[in-house]
Amino acid sequence: MSKYIISICIVLLPILVQGQSEPIDLSQKDTVTYKDPYGLRVGADISKLILSFADEDYTGLELVGDYRLTRKLYLAAEIGNETKKQGESLNNTLLYDYETSGSYIKAGVDINTYTNWYGMNNAITIGGRYAFASFSQDLNNYSLYESNQFFNPEFLPGENPNREFSGLSASWLEFVVGAKVELFANIFVGMSARLGFLVTNTEDEQFPNLWIPGFNKVTDGSNFGVNYNYSISYFIPLYKKAKKSKEESQ
């Protein structure tokens, strides 16, 4: 029996010697694999939907979307349609009332400046858009100033009400600051503030563009405008990218 034990030890001896010749790494290493979801996020501006029900002089719908290109960079776009009726009065005298209706599209990028914890997909973004709108304006009623007021009132009704000005357009650049929070799995709520600068503004000589869909109010003597966005969207994950990081404890 002892001969068999001696023979086994002789066979295993070279293997044991080779194993002992390799250094043993006693340092602790942690390897964590992160998988970030990439895909398309689509939704709508809920503020325009609420305003459409609350204000009889406004109807609007805006669809929003973005696509994740890298960990920080997103392609983003908005497309919408708005109709708004408004007017201007002076001393209880109606100067004019008009209705603007048209569509717009915005396209650009967002950069996420927020560093998420593992498993989070929230975003605080800065970005930019190039926007274009095509619309028309209907001048429903208007008043004319009467210089000879001896027999006539100060303002007289316009002779040709319900005038339509079509083929209007405008383009502008937008600086966007926003945030998106994942409320539930793949469901996000977001908001953004937008500062626009008019690049082109094609208008009729007889009636200026006082309000532009997607841009908001046009201020006399200024090319700047302010707009807001409150959205709810759904993220459609298409694929994941893994990122490995190693941390060695000293």
Side-chain angles (χ1 to χ4, degrees), residues 86-101:
Q86 51 192 334
E88 186 72 26
S89 298
L90 178 65
N91 297 329
N92 296 323
T93 300
L94 179 66
L95 298 181
Y96 56 85
D97 72 90
Y98 65 99
E99 182 176 287
T100 306
S101 180

Side-chain angles (χ1 to χ4, degrees), residues 138-150:
D138 291 327
L139 182 59
N140 301 319
N141 296 284
Y142 62 97
S143 299
L144 299 175
Y145 178 75
E146 175 58 54
S147 59
N148 184 8
Q149 302 174 18
F150 187 78

Side-chain angles (χ1 to χ4, degrees), residues 15 17 30 44 50 72 77 88 105 112 116 148 174 184 190 228 233-234 240 249:
I15 299 175
V17 171
D30 296 329
I50 294 174
K72 297 292 185 180
E88 186 72 26
I105 185 171
N112 185 13
N116 284 289
N148 184 8
E174 276 188 354
F184 304 105
Y228 300 93
S233 56
Y234 181 77
K240 293 184 177 181
S249 59

Side-chain angles (χ1 to χ4, degrees), residues 38-39 66-75 109 239 241:
Y38 286 71
D66 60 57
Y67 181 80
R68 189 177 189 180
L69 287 179
T70 68
R71 290 184 65 245
K72 297 292 185 180
L73 183 63
Y74 294 78
L75 290 178
V109 296
Y239 62 95
K241 282 187 178 181

Side-chain angles (χ1 to χ4, degrees), residues 143-180:
S143 299
L144 299 175
Y145 178 75
E146 175 58 54
S147 59
N148 184 8
Q149 302 174 18
F150 187 78
F151 296 105
N152 299 317
E154 187 175 2
F155 291 95
L156 297 176
E159 296 180 355
N160 299 310
N162 301 318
R163 301 182 62 183
E164 180 182 3
F165 304 96
S166 59
L168 309 176
S169 64
S171 64
W172 64 95
L173 299 175
E174 276 188 354
F175 174 70
V176 185
V177 178
K180 290 185 177 69

Side-chain angles (χ1 to χ4, degrees), residues 40-44 64 66 184-188 232-237:
L40 179 66
R41 182 164 41 200
V42 292
V64 301
D66 60 57
F184 304 105
N186 295 332
I187 297 178
F188 290 80
I232 182 168
S233 56
Y234 181 77
F235 178 70
I236 305 172

